């Protein structure tokens, strides 16, 4: 196959310049493909829908390891609170999370795309796609409502939980969600800044947890719960913070800003890829149904997809659609745990068993996946 087929305006058109889209675009562009990214925000650091906590594996084994160090803050412990606010400190030697100055991280990622030859179009929304021969004819709109048209060999939907690419191309759509809301307190300092404070409470966070964390520029405090589209319930974050704020040393001022969004929680969608249209990240439902962490899986899947698209064009490698499906985590155990948690969540076992060995073991599995230094994996750095 010719590397650059001139009947296409680009080899890959990616919709969305967040973690999944950036990873896919970077991997494909670095392997020599012509990559265009449409991102509807004019500033990638605005209107964020993530806390932005990055797990150790993503921090060390992916391109994110190159992020400017002053937009990262290391958190080595989890303090888990029972509904009655008794707490348990958890850690795994050698393991950590990074909280981030997420607006800056997203802007840095956009710069990385440009530096690596990606045609990044900010303020450009994807609107429509139609199959056109072996490729796709894609339509969009720029901020000034100017039409965008592009003929691409492959179309990648990295456009989040409510993917328009999935809708327009007839791919699978995410049906089950958590809903998360978070306040940001700029400049605030927690007395215990190296801990991620997590709160189990069926009253405030049915189906998930509440959290408070120090980041490089302030404090984030949030709450997520199971989203029911029939009886959409707004998380009572003010009530939650009135209950836990003083305990963790949160300032009593009003927050400076709010982040909120839907989090897929039912595993990968079906079909995830077909006929040169492929989904990745939240659009593909690739988020842990238990921890609701999606940054690392979005990055890993997006990157694999970008490499597969390049391998196919350059050397006739395996069909990227197959790679997209096979490399998507299935989350079988985590989906079973999600099912059980949705039906049998009670506060009393957490109050009763907080300091017991089985609960500590289970909590360490969830937060650290048994991965301290003792089980350190061989690092696959991407440089
Ligand atoms: C409140 C909250 C807190 C979270 N906290 C964490 C956490 O701490 N750690 C963690 O690992 N995960 C967390 N998650 C999950 C994590 O944020 C997502 O899994 C991750 O951001 C997925 O990345 P993505 O690139 O697939 O999609 P997204 O980050 O959702 O990005 C989609 C991008 O597509 C763009 N886009 C959408 N539609 C269009 C269109 N039509 N045209 C052009 N562009 C478009 C959007 O503007 C956006 O930039 C959280 C989620 C929420 C909601």
């Amino acid at each position: 196959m010719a590397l650059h087929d001139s009947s296409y305006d680009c080899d890959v058109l990616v919709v969305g310049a967040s973690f999944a889209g950036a990873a896919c675009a970077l991997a494909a562009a670095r392997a020599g493909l012509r990559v265009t990214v449409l991102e509807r925000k004019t500033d990638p650091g605005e209107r964020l829908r993530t806390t932005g906590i990055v797990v150790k594996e993503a921090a060390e084994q992916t391109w994110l390891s190159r992020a400017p160090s002053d937009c990262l803050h290391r958190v080595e412990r989890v303090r888990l609170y029972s509904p009655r606010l008794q707490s348990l400190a958890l850690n795994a030697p050698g393991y950590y999370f990074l909280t981030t100055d997420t607006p800056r991280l997203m802007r840095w990622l956009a710069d990385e795309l440009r530096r690596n030859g990606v045609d990044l179009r900010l303020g450009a929304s994807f609107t429509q796609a139609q199959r056109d021969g072996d490729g796709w004819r894609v339509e969009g709109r720029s901020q000034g409502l100017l039409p965008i048209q592009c003929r691409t060999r492959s179309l990648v939907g990295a456009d989040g939980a409510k993917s328009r690419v999935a809708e327009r191309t007839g791919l699978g759509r995410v049906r089950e969600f958590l809903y998360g809301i978070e306040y940001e307190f700029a400049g605030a300092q927690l007395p215990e800044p190296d801990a991620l404070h997590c709160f189990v409470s069926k009253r405030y966070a049915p189906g998930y947890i509440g959290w408070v964390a120090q980041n490089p520029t302030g404090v984030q405090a949030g709450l997520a719960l199971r989203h029911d589209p029939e009886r959409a319930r707004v998380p009572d974050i003010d009530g939650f913070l009135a209950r836990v704020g003083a305990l963790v040393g949160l300032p009593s001022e009003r927050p400076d800003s709010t982040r909120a969004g839907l989090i897929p929680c039912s595993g990968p969608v079906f079909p995830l890829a077909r006929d040169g249209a492929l989904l990745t990240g939240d659009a593909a439902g690739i988020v842990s149904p238990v921890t609701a962490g999606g940054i690392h899986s979005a990055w890993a899947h997006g990157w694999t997809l970008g490499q597969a698209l390049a391998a196919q064009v350059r050397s006739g490698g395996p069909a990227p659609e197959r790679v997209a499906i096979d490399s998507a985590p299935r989350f079988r155990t985590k989906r079973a745990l999600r099912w059980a948690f949705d039906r049998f969540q009670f506060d009393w076992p957490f109050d009763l068993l907080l300091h017991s060995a089985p609960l500590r073991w289970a909590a360490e599995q969830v937060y650290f996946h048994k991965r301290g230094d003792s089980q350190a994996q061989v690092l696959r750095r991407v440089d």
Side-chain angles (χ1 to χ4, degrees), residues 285-305:
I286 301 176
V287 181
S288 162
V290 174
T291 65
I295 293 176
H296 185 211
S297 44
W299 190 278
H301 190 258
W303 187 272
T304 303
L305 208 56

Side-chain angles (χ1 to χ4, degrees), residues 15-22 38-41 44 47 49-55 106 124-127 158-162 164-165 178-182 211 223 259-264 280-283 286-287 292-298:
V15 182
S18 182
F19 298 101
L38 303 185
E39 168 53 58
R40 72 174 164 206
K41 296 186 220 171
R47 286 185 283 118
R49 297 177 177 200
T50 183
T51 309
I53 297 176
V54 174
V55 295
M106 302 319 289
S125 290
F126 163 87
T127 54
D159 51 341
K162 288 278 187 182
R164 183 172 282 191
V165 173
L178 302 171
Y179 177 72
I181 182 164
E182 182 173 73
W211 65 91
L223 199 58
R259 300 180 191 180
L262 292 171
I263 309 171
T280 184
D282 277 18
I286 301 176
V287 181
I295 293 176
H296 185 211
S297 44

Side-chain angles (χ1 to χ4, degrees), residues 102-234:
T102 327
R104 239 190 102 201
L105 185 68
M106 302 319 289
R107 290 177 194 128
W108 167 80
L109 264 181
D111 290 342
E112 290 295 284
L113 293 183
R114 290 201 189 93
R115 266 195 285 274
N116 283 277
V118 172
D119 172 17
L120 171 62
R121 306 205 192 161
L122 296 177
S125 290
F126 163 87
T127 54
Q128 185 58 277
Q130 264 160 7
R131 194 82 173 122
D132 183 8
D134 284 344
W136 287 88
R137 183 164 296 281
V138 174
E139 291 173 24
R141 242 192 339 259
S142 72
Q143 203 79 30
L145 298 181
L146 292 174
I148 297 170
Q149 287 216 346
C150 179
R151 188 161 187 272
T152 179
R153 191 195 293 265
S154 302
L155 169 62
V156 175
D159 51 341
K162 288 278 187 182
S163 168
R164 183 172 282 191
V165 173
E167 182 198 331
R168 296 291 199 254
T169 57
L171 292 173
R173 298 174 62 191
V174 180
R175 306 269 173 212
E176 293 186 48
F177 304 94
L178 302 171
Y179 177 72
I181 182 164
E182 182 173 73
Y183 284 168
E184 294 175 78
F185 301 89
Q189 280 286 332
L190 293 178
E192 208 181 346
D194 63 336
L196 172 62
H197 300 268
C198 295
F199 297 84
V200 179
S201 165
K202 189 169 181 182
R203 171 168 175 207
Y204 291 107
Y208 194 57
I209 55 166
W211 65 91
V212 179
Q214 183 77 53
N215 72 26
T217 59
V219 172
Q220 288 161 273
L223 199 58
L225 46 77
R226 194 72 158 86
H227 176 65
D228 178 353
E230 304 295 311
R231 293 183 293 134
R233 170 180 160 189
V234 180

